[in-house]
Structures are given as C-alpha cells and as structure tokens.
Amino acid sequence: MKQAPVLTERDLKRVLQHVARSSFPARNRCVLMLSWLAGMRVAEIAALKLGDICAPDGTIRAEIQLAPEQTKGSSARTVLISTQHAPEVSHNEIEESVVEYIINPVI
C-alpha cells in the first residue's frame, strides 16, 4: 500500500501562516497541532468530548484517553499532550485555546 503524503516542515509553516489569517485562528491552530504533533486523525479530533480534554478540576489533561469508538480500528489509545512534542507550543497555549474554543462555547 502506498504511503500517504505528509506535510514537510516548510509545508507546516505555510499552513500555519494561512491558519493565522483564518476566521478562528486559535481553534484552527489547535486542531492542526493535535494532528501534526500528537498524530491524531481528523475523526479522532472531531470525536473529542470535553471530558477527554479537561480534568474534573478544569485543567487540561497531559494525556487524552481515546475510547475505541473514537478511533480508527476500534482500539482504545492514549494521546500525549505535552510541551515535549514541540517547544513552540506551550501547555498554557493549548489550555487557553481549549478553554476559548471548546469550553466557553459549551457553557
């Protein structure tokens, strides 16, 4: 089976520049970075629930536990969300984007 094409670093920079000019730049950057840095698929990102991202105390989880129905192949998996993935993305930046574009619209 042929390998799907992936973005190069140069491609990613161009996409991030475009995202910065979009209608919802923080949300779109968050989605893009979940895909690029954490390796999440589009359907997995779309299937995220508030409880998957936020701990009961309101903080952003360092790990996202995906249930089998949220993943391709129906196998549960863990996605790590931490600053070790890319130094340019801080945990605070992730937390602020999640609060602004996921939590606040629901409340």
Side-chain angles (χ1 to χ4, degrees):
M1 181 181 284
K2 187 175 180 181
Q3 176 78 22
V6 295
L7 293 175
T8 65
E9 289 286 335
R10 183 172 176 247
D11 294 335
L12 178 63
K13 288 179 183 176
R14 290 178 62 210
V15 173
L16 286 170
Q17 288 172 350
H18 177 74
V19 163
R21 296 185 306 271
S22 65
S23 297
F24 302 98
R27 180 205 59 191
N28 295 342
R29 179 182 169 89
C30 182
V31 169
L32 177 64
M33 297 316 251
L34 283 171
S35 177
W36 175 259
L37 298 174
M40 292 183 71
R41 295 175 175 90
V42 171
E44 292 172 340
I45 296 168
L48 287 174
K49 298 176 217 136
L50 189 57
D52 297 330
I53 299 167
C54 295
D57 65 359
T59 60
I60 303 301
R61 298 180 189 276
E63 296 179 352
I64 296 174
Q65 302 291 327
L66 294 174
E69 60 273 8
Q70 292 174 289
T71 66
K72 181 179 178 180
S74 298
S75 297
R77 74 184 191 108
T78 301
V79 177
L80 299 176
I81 305 296
S82 77
T83 56
Q84 70 185 5
H85 288 292
E88 76 270 8
V89 180
S90 70
H91 189 77
N92 287 342
E93 186 177 2
I94 294 170
E95 188 166 346
E96 288 170 6
S97 294
V98 168
V99 168
E100 184 174 354
Y101 292 102
I102 297 174
I103 297 171
N104 287 345
V106 172
I107 295 177

